[in-house]
Amino acid sequence: MDSKPSPNGSFLKHSTTLTNRQRGNEVSALPATLDCDNLINKPDERGFTPLIWASAFGEIETVRFLLDWGADPHILAKERESALSLASMGGYTDIVRLLLDRDVDINIYDWNGGTPLLYAVRGNHVKCVEALLARGADLTTEADSGYTPMDLAVALGFRKVQQVMENHILQLFQRTLGPADPE
C-alpha cells in the first residue's frame, strides 16, 4: 500500500487491492430471485425452521427479523417442537414474549407432553415462568411423566420457581373471590 502524508501530517494508506470491475470481471448471470416466503419457513430434516432454530439459541435479533419478514411462529417441527417451547427451555424470556405477542399456543405440547411452562420450570428459568403465567399458561397440564409444573418445581427443589407459581395461584384466587368483606 502507498503512503502519502495527509494535510495534517499523518500518513494515509491507500489500498492497492483491485475491485472486480477494475480487474475487468463482469457479472455473468443475474442473481436468482429468492422466494422469501418459502425460504423463511422452510424446515430442515427435523422440521426446524429458521425461526425455531433462532428461538432455541436465544438469537433475539434474528427472531425479530424473521418475524418481521413473515416467519410463521405457529409451525411445529416433526416431534411437535415449537419456537415457544424451545425459547422457554432456554429461558429466553424476551423471545417468549415476542412469540406470545404473535398469538402462539401458550400450552402447546410436544412429543413427550412437555409444554413451554414445563420446560421453563425444568430449566429453573424464573423470569420465563413469570412471563408464561402472566399470559395464561396452564398450571394443571401434566407431562407424560405425570408431573405438573408445580410437581416438577418441588421435585427439583426449585424454590424460587415454586414461589412464583404459588403467588400466581394466590392472585388467581384473589381475583376469583374478589375483595374480602369487612366485618
Side-chain angles (χ1 to χ4, degrees):
M1 296 209 305
D2 299 329
S3 296
K4 296 179 182 176
S6 69
N8 67 3
S10 66
F11 284 88
L12 296 176
K13 295 185 178 187
H14 298 282
S15 174
T16 56
T17 305
L18 296 176
T19 65
N20 278 326
R21 177 167 282 155
Q22 289 168 329
R23 283 190 212 106
N25 295 339
E26 293 183 24
V27 177
S28 59
L30 293 174
T33 56
L34 299 176
D35 182 354
C36 284
D37 289 338
N38 285 337
L39 287 178
I40 209 153
N41 291 313
K42 184 175 174 54
D44 63 11
E45 64 279 350
R46 293 177 60 186
F48 280 41
T49 63
L51 180 63
I52 292 174
W53 279 115
S55 298
F57 284 98
E59 297 293 332
I60 190 160
E61 292 307 320
T62 304
V63 168
R64 277 193 185 109
F65 172 82
L66 291 168
L67 289 171
D68 288 347
W69 279 84
D72 184 352
H74 302 93
I75 292 175
L76 301 180
K78 288 184 179 178
E79 294 190 355
R80 295 188 51 84
E81 302 98 329
S82 69
L84 181 61
S85 289
L86 293 173
S88 298
M89 189 181 297
Y92 305 121
T93 307
D94 290 340
I95 294 175
V96 166
R97 287 187 184 115
L98 280 175
L99 295 168
L100 291 173
D101 287 345
R102 301 294 177 114
D103 295 323
V104 295
D105 183 353
I106 197 167
N107 296 309
I108 190 75
Y109 62 91
D110 64 11
W111 63 276
N112 69 350
T115 64
L117 182 59
L118 281 161
Y119 285 121
V121 168
R122 189 178 86 188
N124 200 22
H125 303 302
V126 176
K127 295 289 184 194
C128 203
V129 169
E130 289 173 341
L132 289 163
L133 290 174
R135 297 296 275 281
D138 187 350
L139 275 165
T140 64
T141 302
E142 293 180 5
D144 287 353
S145 63
Y147 281 106
T148 65
M150 184 64 85
D151 296 334
L152 191 57
V154 170
L156 294 173
F158 296 155
R159 299 283 302 146
K160 182 74 174 167
V161 169
Q162 182 181 342
Q163 185 179 14
V164 165
M165 288 189 286
E166 288 170 354
N167 289 340
H168 181 74
I169 292 168
L170 286 174
Q171 289 173 358
L172 291 175
F173 279 136
Q174 289 169 350
R175 276 188 240 144
T176 303
L177 299 175
D181 290 332
E183 294 186 25

